[in-house]
Amino acid sequence: MIDYLIYFAQAYPEFRRAELESLAHLYDIPLDISHHDPSTPFLIVQLRNDEDARKLLDRAVLSRGIYELWGVGETLEQLHTSVRSISEHRFEEKKRNSFRFDFEGYMGTRTREQKNAIIESFAYLGFQGKVKLKNPDEIYTVLELYRTNGQTKAETPLKLWFGRQVQLSARSNGVLDKYDLRRRKYIGTTSFDAELSLASCNIAQVNHDKIVYDPFAGTGSFMVTAANFGGLTIGSDIDVRMLKGKGDKDIASNFKQYGTSLHFLDTMTMDFTNNALRHDFPIDTIVCDPPYGVREGLRVCGARDPAKAAGREDVIIDGEKAHLRRDFIPPKKPYELSDLLGDLLDFAARRLPVGGRLAFWMPTANDEFQPHHVPQHQSLQLLYNLEQEFNKWSRRLLVYVKMNESYEGKTINGLKENVHFRDRYFSRFNDKSKQV
């Protein structure tokens, strides 16, 4: 095994481990990152070879790059001692390759003069290849960890690493700019943040030529990012206006914008609780952001009073039963978030293959959340419960995997005992005992 250094982005540190573990599992890469400290952007891992390192970081969103580790120290002198001790056998192998030096500093930077002096201090490497600023054979990087004291900028790093760049991440290669909502042709009020949408698809293990379903598609945020990773996407939503868009702006236009139209299968106007997908239609992954009932109350097809609705089936318009006409708008009844999530888990348990993943976001009020509020299903194992905290509430990315018949889980819907999230939200999360 070889030591590599991962340099993380300073975004959603609690999500890093889930993303890398999921990618490692997807590509069958042995990886132990149980020692990861979310407070630091640097992590040393052991991998079999550069190929594993490239696969691990190529589509990562919460990391910046991975480097074959040549040395580490708390001072520049210690770093040089470490490089000579650990990596002297590598000098000859890379001796004639073209190269350049880069610097990565967390919470600190070097002047041009300082960088030049550090580069000269590595003369003992004995490289004879040509220095190329563009497309060299190898890129050697000095990575430094600084700490700031209040408003005072630190001048001396606490720790230094020296490594050979193996792979920059999708983030470093511009995937966030590419999918930035500000540049997307069709968005809406419910369009999901591109960074977390991409990370969700990684943790859900969206992969090439696998069917990805979003039952609450909206403007297609998760469908679009799933297609970026090669997923074949299909979506549904109860609101036809979201799926249809306006004019030339719709979900299909987003796929065209990103050159992924071949990964867009279709969308359907459909109540998820009355799912019209064939029972033998294969679904490999489900990724979604279920409606919270904040912008409007949750609704599903059906009548509040079934007895009254039954009489309406005899209404005739132009010689045709009203409920069979194409312009018929079916009645809708209230639907609780706890019921929606229970139905979602049950659907995933029935439709996913063994090993398939369900990933969705669930809102919680910070002052009342308990671990048992996370819904469970007897056929699904909860892999990750990842929190994005706001002021008085959070949303959690819950990721499950479909298990085989020998798995003995429990079906639990702890949200049913909670005060309704929508009520808490509009009361600004004041005393919950006063809510109805």
Side-chain angles (χ1 to χ4, degrees):
M1 301 293 278
I2 303 171
D3 283 345
Y4 291 86
L5 179 70
I6 297 176
Y7 180 29
F8 290 108
Q10 280 307 104
Y12 310 109
E14 301 297 334
F15 287 61
R16 297 169 181 164
R17 179 175 174 180
E19 182 183 45
L20 289 184
E21 285 181 342
S22 297
L23 293 176
H25 180 266
L26 178 64
Y27 295 118
D28 194 25
I29 299 171
L31 178 68
D32 178 11
I33 53 175
S34 58
H35 57 292
H36 171 50
D37 178 359
S39 68
T40 176
F42 298 103
L43 174 68
I44 296 175
V45 299
Q46 289 191 324
L47 298 171
R48 293 175 298 195
N49 48 45
D50 284 1
E51 181 181 359
D52 281 356
R54 292 189 184 97
K55 287 180 179 179
L56 186 64
L57 263 285
D58 180 54
R59 54 182 275 184
V61 176
L62 304 180
S63 305
R64 295 185 181 277
I66 188 167
Y67 306 82
E68 181 186 53
L69 186 62
W70 282 34
V72 58
E74 295 182 359
T75 65
L76 185 59
E77 291 71 23
Q78 289 183 8
L79 177 63
H80 287 314
T81 300
S82 176
V83 171
R84 287 189 173 100
S85 173
I86 296 174
S87 302
E88 188 172 10
H89 64 285
R90 298 182 171 114
F91 299 172
E92 184 66 27
E93 178 186 350
K94 304 296 182 181
K95 187 175 182 178
R96 291 174 177 78
N97 292 350
S98 61
F99 69 96
R100 79 163 189 257
F101 273 72
D102 276 353
F103 288 80
E104 294 285 356
Y106 175 68
M107 302 296 287
T109 58
R110 297 277 192 178
T111 65
R112 181 183 296 273
E113 291 75 16
Q114 289 174 327
K115 291 179 180 179
N116 288 338
I118 291 175
I119 292 173
E120 292 298 329
S121 71
F122 281 95
Y124 60 86
L125 296 173
F127 291 157
Q128 298 177 3
K130 184 178 179 180
V131 175
K132 292 178 63 176
L133 298 183
K134 291 186 177 181
N135 302 318
D137 296 327
E138 305 290 353
I139 299 174
Y140 298 96
T141 306
V142 177
L143 303 102
E144 300 177 312
L145 173 64
Y146 292 79
R147 282 284 186 259
T148 57
N149 181 16
Q151 299 299 318
T152 304
K153 190 173 183 179
E155 297 182 357
T156 304
L158 293 177
K159 202 164 189 178
L160 303 90
W161 296 265
F162 180 69
R164 177 179 61 87
Q165 178 182 300
V166 177
Q167 179 69 49
L168 293 181
S169 68
R171 182 193 194 93
S172 295
N173 288 321
V175 72
L176 298 189
D177 288 336
K178 178 180 179 180
Y179 287 98
D180 192 327
L181 292 180
R182 293 171 296 182
R183 297 184 175 90
R184 192 171 300 177
K185 186 169 184 178
Y186 175 54
I187 62 172
T189 57
T190 59
S191 295
F192 205 87
D193 169 75
E195 183 174 11
L196 282 176
S197 180
L198 289 160
S200 299
C201 288
N202 272 337
I203 298 172
Q205 295 185 329
V206 170
N207 204 11
H208 289 281
D209 301 330
K210 298 296 184 180
I211 302 295
V212 182
Y213 175 45
D214 182 351
F216 315 101
T219 58
S221 299
F222 287 100
M223 296 175 66
V224 165
T225 50
N228 177 72
F229 299 124
L232 303 176
T233 63
I234 188 168
S236 64
D237 201 286
I238 197 171
D239 189 348
V240 65
R241 297 168 299 177
M242 300 295 287
L243 301 179
K244 187 177 180 180
K246 188 174 182 180
D248 63 344
K249 294 182 178 181
D250 57 13
I251 293 177
S253 68
N254 285 341
F255 282 84
K256 185 176 180 180
Q257 174 184 348
Y258 297 120
T260 55
S261 294
L262 293 178
H263 295 270
F264 175 51
L265 299 183
D266 208 349
T267 56
M268 298 165 288
T269 305
M270 183 172 70
D271 171 9
F272 172 68
T273 63
N274 293 277
N275 202 287
L277 289 173
R278 295 196 322 265
H279 292 292
D280 60 348
F281 182 80
I283 299 174
D284 299 293
T285 309
I286 300 173
V287 189
C288 59
D289 179 33
Y292 306 159
V294 170
R295 292 178 178 85
E296 59 178 320
L298 286 173
R299 296 287 188 272
V300 293
C301 290
R304 289 175 179 264
D305 188 340
K308 290 183 179 180
R312 297 172 186 168
E313 294 182 0
D314 296 328
V315 176
I316 304 296
I317 299 178
D318 295 333
E320 184 179 5
K321 288 189 175 182
H323 70 278
L324 298 179
R325 292 172 58 89
R326 290 182 62 85
D327 60 355
F328 175 73
I329 299 176
K332 296 181 176 63
K333 62 182 179 180
Y335 189 44
E336 297 300 335
L337 178 62
S338 59
D339 295 326
L340 181 151
L341 297 184
D343 288 340
L344 178 59
L345 265 67
D346 185 61
F347 178 85
R350 288 185 284 108
R351 302 300 295 270
L352 289 175
V354 173
R357 292 196 177 190
L358 162 68
F360 65 87
W361 289 82
M362 181 184 80
T364 56
N366 293 341
D367 63 354
E368 67 178 0
F369 175 74
Q370 298 293 330
H372 70 271
H373 291 163
V374 174
Q376 304 280 356
H377 192 282
Q378 60 188 21
S379 299
L380 303 173
Q381 180 182 2
L382 178 67
L383 296 180
Y384 299 108
N385 174 5
L386 307 170
E387 182 183 14
Q388 181 191 16
E389 185 175 351
F390 299 103
N391 184 16
K392 294 184 178 181
W393 68 285
S394 300
R395 60 181 178 185
R396 297 171 182 272
L397 177 61
L398 304 179
V399 184
Y400 304 78
V401 61
K402 171 69 174 295
M403 304 299 288
N404 59 32
E405 295 180 354
S406 65
Y407 180 73
E408 297 181 1
K410 293 183 178 181
T411 297
I412 302 173
N413 196 338
L415 279 186
K416 282 186 175 295
E417 68 186 52
N418 278 18
V419 176
H420 298 166
F421 178 80
R422 188 169 189 259
D423 296 334
R424 298 297 315 283
Y425 184 90
F426 283 112
S427 70
R428 299 185 179 181
F429 300 96
N430 292 327
D431 185 2
K432 61 184 177 182
S433 66
K434 299 179 181 180
Q435 304 305 313
V436 178

